[in-house]
Amino acid sequence: MTTLRNVIDGASVDAASGATYDVVNPATGQAYATAPASGAEDVDRAMRAAERAFDGGWADTTPKERQEALLRMAQALEDRAEEFVQAECENTGKPIGITRDEELPPSVDELRFFAGAARVLEGRSAGEYLKDHTSWIRREPIGVVAQVTPWNYPLMMAIWKIAPALAAGNTIVLKPSDTTPASTVLLGELANEFLPPGVLNVVCGDRTTGRALVEHPTPQMVAITGSVRAGMEVAGSAAADLKRVHLELGGKAPVVVFDDADVAAAAEAIAVAGYFNAGQDCTAATRVLAAEGVYDDLVAALAEQARSTRTGMPDDPDVLFGALNNPDQLARVAGMVDRLPDHASIDAGGTRPTIAGGEGGYFFDPTVVSGLRQDDEAIQQEIFGPVITVQRFGDEAEALRFANGVQYGLSSSVWTKDHGRAMRMSRKLDFGVVWINTHIPFVSEMPHGGFKHSGYGKDLSMYGLEDYTRIKHVMSFTGEGVS
């Protein structure tokens, strides 16, 4: 069994109580590691370390110094890619090859992007807006930031959180999901080689640990990627102390396919964007809205894509996705399928596969469900699994009404050859991201974040960096008589 430890004040330490819990490999259902079951004492120790590091100099480092630290971290992550891939895949059940090719390179790139972004923060120009007075703007780090990351992309989401916060000059106490702490602990240990003690602290534990993190008086900001329920709890708790809150929560992305779309190309792209990471992605292309003229052909094409898509063990080079993260998530996905209304049709999948070597794992077949209506549970609630739903629409107005008719507002896509229609839809879709004739690509330079119950605040891009700064107005009297 691997022993994971907290990373606090530059050292790897056990929980103060000595308590641990088992970490399970979702592909096998077997425990492979133990992690600290941290409590309030551990959180307080990490917060005090972060506060000392902030006051002790990290806040006063130059952008160049922060850039150099982040670049060294990026290079070390790239050099040790196989070690991180193995840790991530054992902890999540993800395919090794896809994780190496599709998750590690963007993670390295995001560290490098924010390393550069640290040196180009912008503000309004200084000027005399009042006679004999000169005003200018300072962008400053916020202070200690508490961060909570999810289990669907443990390493990548940790980097999405820490890179802008560090680039802006903040210090961090981060809690990974209790089911996937391994790669985040490894990242914290790597950071110790390049950051002063206490700048980045990693504390493992469950919801109790997370609650202690959010309620602690030290952090000036709480950032979380997680469920709507978790985001609401964090926002409510942070409000009691007027902490800033940065929320990236759930999604229910509409994939709007019009009559003039290339059905075969759309189905292939939607299947990849829907089944990647077992559909455990808040931007996944799993809610398809199909126009009358392509509905039947698209359902058939998606069903064929599902039947040709494989799930399996991490070391199988031919699988697109691996196991669901935990037994509760498997039960959620299976339950949503089991509760489908009579008017729905399961066109592919809907069952648990038998996987050699993964008999105890949390696998679910790639699934397509058609015939659904707007008020059905599978349309309104996030499934977060490899289940693509398809519903029919009549015209552009109905497509827009169906697309926007959910509580989420994170991402969406439009599939059409009509440029004017694409522009109209992109303007009226109530989602933070709109893709046109594609779905799910991200780049470090562009923001990611949602509306409504998908939260607020932006990850990635300069907007993400600005979220981790505070703005100060400085005014100086410049008239005569000042010595």
Side-chain angles (χ1 to χ4, degrees):
M1 293 275 280
T2 301
T3 301
L4 304 176
R5 308 176 79 190
N6 291 331
V7 180
I8 299 177
D9 205 14
S12 296
V13 298
D14 296 323
S17 67
T20 63
Y21 67 91
D22 288 341
V23 182
V24 172
N25 182 333
T28 64
Q30 302 298 312
Y32 78 94
T34 61
S38 304
E41 183 177 350
D42 304 294
V43 170
D44 183 64
R45 179 181 177 185
M47 289 294 178
R48 286 188 282 111
E51 191 170 32
R52 285 194 302 271
F54 183 80
D55 294 337
W58 184 251
D60 297 323
T61 54
T62 65
K64 179 175 183 291
E65 290 169 327
R66 297 196 293 274
Q67 178 193 47
E68 290 172 345
L70 287 170
L71 288 175
R72 288 194 292 268
M73 287 176 60
Q75 188 60 53
L77 177 59
E78 191 169 59
D79 292 342
R80 295 169 56 183
E82 287 304 314
E83 182 182 359
F84 276 87
V85 167
Q86 290 297 324
E88 188 81 338
C89 293
E90 189 169 30
N91 205 173
T92 63
K94 295 172 184 277
I96 293 172
I98 288 177
T99 304
R100 179 191 298 118
D101 296 340
E102 301 294 336
E103 295 190 28
L104 250 292
S107 297
V108 172
D109 183 67
E110 283 141 23
L111 284 170
R112 287 178 173 148
F113 171 81
F114 282 110
R119 300 185 70 167
V120 291
L121 270 174
E122 297 178 353
R124 295 183 184 275
S125 62
E128 288 66 47
Y129 303 97
L130 180 66
K131 182 177 174 57
D132 293 335
H133 293 75
T134 298
S135 290
W136 64 94
I137 297 295
R138 290 180 54 87
R139 277 199 178 273
E140 300 178 340
I142 293 169
V144 177
V145 177
Q147 299 180 329
V148 180
T149 52
W151 45 254
N152 58 338
Y153 293 98
L155 177 62
M156 188 182 295
M157 293 300 98
I159 289 174
W160 280 27
K161 288 287 182 282
I162 70 168
L166 293 174
N170 302 285
T171 57
I172 299 166
V173 180
L174 185 151
K175 190 196 88 66
S177 168
D178 57 325
T179 65
T180 56
S183 58
T184 309
V185 168
L186 193 59
L187 181 65
E189 293 169 349
L190 178 149
N192 277 342
E193 302 174 26
F194 308 107
L195 299 175
V199 171
L200 174 59
N201 306 274
V202 177
V203 179
C204 302
D206 59 12
R207 291 181 183 178
T208 302
T209 315
R211 191 171 297 112
L213 197 76
V214 176
E215 294 177 353
H216 198 280
T218 293
Q220 298 299 300
M221 177 178 177
V222 180
I224 176 175
T225 296
S227 67
V228 174
R229 174 201 54 77
M232 288 180 171
E233 289 181 5
V234 166
S237 179
D241 202 25
L242 292 179
K243 295 182 175 74
R244 291 192 185 196
V245 181
H246 185 285
L247 305 175
E248 200 275 274
L249 309 178
K252 193 70 177 174
V255 182
V256 186
V257 183
F258 285 94
D259 285 340
D260 61 343
D262 183 327
V263 170
E268 182 178 2
I270 291 165
V272 172
Y275 296 136
F276 190 87
N277 199 31
Q280 297 173 125
D281 190 319
C282 45
T283 63
T286 52
R287 180 168 67 106
V288 176
L289 310 178
E292 292 275 4
V294 295
Y295 179 85
D296 291 336
D297 289 343
L298 185 58
V299 170
L302 286 171
E304 182 59 33
Q305 288 289 332
R307 286 189 285 269
S308 64
T309 298
R310 290 191 55 214
T311 180
M313 298 297 283
D315 58 356
D316 186 338
D318 297 322
V319 304
L320 176 64
F321 65 90
L324 294 168
N325 180 261
N326 56 72
D328 289 343
Q329 188 59 25
L330 175 60
R332 175 182 175 82
V333 173
M336 295 280 268
V337 173
D338 290 343
R339 293 191 301 274
L340 287 169
D342 292 340
H343 55 259
S345 170
I346 299 176
D347 300 279
T351 56
R352 293 191 60 190
T354 299
I355 304 294
E359 291 79 4
Y362 314 130
F363 294 94
F364 201 83
D365 276 322
T367 299
V368 175
V369 179
S370 63
L372 288 162
R373 300 171 185 169
Q374 183 66 13
D375 59 353
D376 288 336
E377 178 189 30
I379 296 298
Q380 291 297 320
Q381 300 300 319
E382 189 173 30
I383 301 174
F384 222 60
V387 180
I388 293 177
T389 65
V390 192
Q391 62 185 126
R392 191 189 310 261
F393 69 84
D395 57 16
E396 188 175 315
E398 186 172 57
L400 191 65
R401 179 165 59 84
F402 285 171
N404 288 340
V406 294
Q407 65 179 331
Y408 303 97
L410 186 58
S411 62
S412 58
S413 64
V414 180
W415 300 75
T416 181
K417 296 173 184 176
D418 185 329
H419 177 74
R421 173 189 286 154
M423 293 299 97
R424 290 191 301 273
M425 291 294 291
S426 67
R427 183 174 70 251
K428 294 180 180 179
L429 282 166
D430 196 13
F431 296 83
V433 179
V434 180
W435 288 289
I436 298 173
N437 294 323
T438 187
H439 193 107
I440 224 167
F442 290 99
V443 292
S444 298
E445 293 85 353
M446 290 291 111
H448 174 67
F451 311 139
K452 301 191 292 189
H453 280 200
S454 291
Y456 43 83
K458 299 297 182 184
D459 289 315
L460 306 178
S461 80
M462 291 301 297
Y463 298 99
L465 180 57
E466 289 173 0
D467 279 356
Y468 285 95
T469 66
R470 67 183 190 182
I471 296 173
K472 179 186 289 182
H473 168 217
V474 181
M475 177 184 279
S476 174
F477 179 70
T478 55
E480 295 181 6
V482 177
S483 58

